[in-house]
Amino acid sequence: MSLIVGCVLCFVAGAGAGVAGALSGRRLFRVRRSLRTYRKRLEGPRPGLAFYVIPAELGDPNEVVADLTGNRRPRLCLIGRLCGPLASDDRPGGGIVPEAGLERGALWVAQGLLIFDPVREGAEMSVLEAPYGVEVREPMVTEAGIPTVTFDLGDSVLVFEPTPDNDASNAWSRIQSVLEFT
């Protein structure tokens, strides 16, 4: 009887060690997705401008921002709500921004780079990489009638509503001064 119990215990211990070894081996040899490999697959709507979304599973937002900015701290942070990309609206004054599409977060601005980090847990970060500056359009307004900063992506637009200030022209001048800072 003790021989059978000993064999069973050895089998259970061996199976447990095999599972633990497989898990640690998988972690050790797993290819970790990096921002650099992710960015190689990206194409912007026009030369010098790329808009992309960084999946939440890519890593810690602080590390992603540090990697994007070359470990330099962004020069400006605006709190507000972002929506887009939205289809360009050719009517004078732009279109109406749906309230349901606006997401709260922080807009980090570095030279040639806008990074929107949403407050919601596990949400994807939005990045606008524009080494040669960003074109701004006439402000679009939210359903509540609040003007937003409107960034032209070529075939679509991003809108940012600064809060609690709600002064779109002041926010745009601050963003532009950092984007074009040399």
Side-chain angles (χ1 to χ4, degrees):
M1 182 76 155
S2 64
L3 181 63
I4 295 174
V5 172
C7 288
V8 169
L9 287 175
C10 286
F11 175 75
V12 170
V19 169
L23 290 176
S24 64
R26 191 178 304 154
R27 263 189 238 126
L28 183 63
F29 295 111
R30 176 179 53 185
V31 177
R32 182 182 159 136
R33 287 192 251 163
S34 71
L35 190 58
R36 182 172 295 151
T37 58
Y38 181 73
R39 289 169 79 182
K40 287 180 182 177
R41 299 179 285 145
L42 303 171
E43 295 178 12
R46 63 177 185 255
L49 181 68
F51 173 75
Y52 48 98
V53 174
I54 299 175
E57 65 268 8
L58 200 59
D60 178 34
N62 292 329
E63 291 176 10
V64 172
V65 171
D67 192 18
L68 282 168
T69 58
N71 289 319
R72 289 174 289 132
R73 186 170 178 82
R75 295 175 46 89
L76 178 63
C77 178
L78 297 172
I79 304 302
R81 302 190 301 169
L82 184 84
C83 185
L86 300 172
S88 298
D89 193 87
D90 295 329
R91 293 179 293 160
I96 303 295
V97 180
E99 286 285 332
L102 289 162
E103 186 159 15
R104 292 194 175 283
L107 181 69
W108 294 93
V109 186
Q111 185 177 356
L113 192 66
L114 294 167
I115 305 168
F116 184 74
D117 186 12
V119 173
R120 188 169 42 95
E121 184 69 31
E124 299 173 323
M125 292 175 67
S126 301
V127 177
L128 177 61
E129 197 167 20
Y132 306 113
V134 177
E135 293 177 25
V136 68
R137 294 183 48 162
E138 288 295 315
M140 294 173 72
V141 294
T142 64
E143 290 174 337
I146 300 169
T148 61
V149 179
T150 308
F151 303 104
D152 185 2
L153 299 178
D155 58 350
S156 58
V157 294
L158 283 176
V159 295
F160 177 71
E161 175 198 5
T163 55
D165 185 7
N166 291 342
D167 185 357
S169 60
N170 181 40
W172 168 245
S173 67
R174 292 176 68 197
I175 291 169
Q176 188 177 30
S177 68
V178 173
L179 285 174
E180 298 174 357
F181 178 77
T182 54

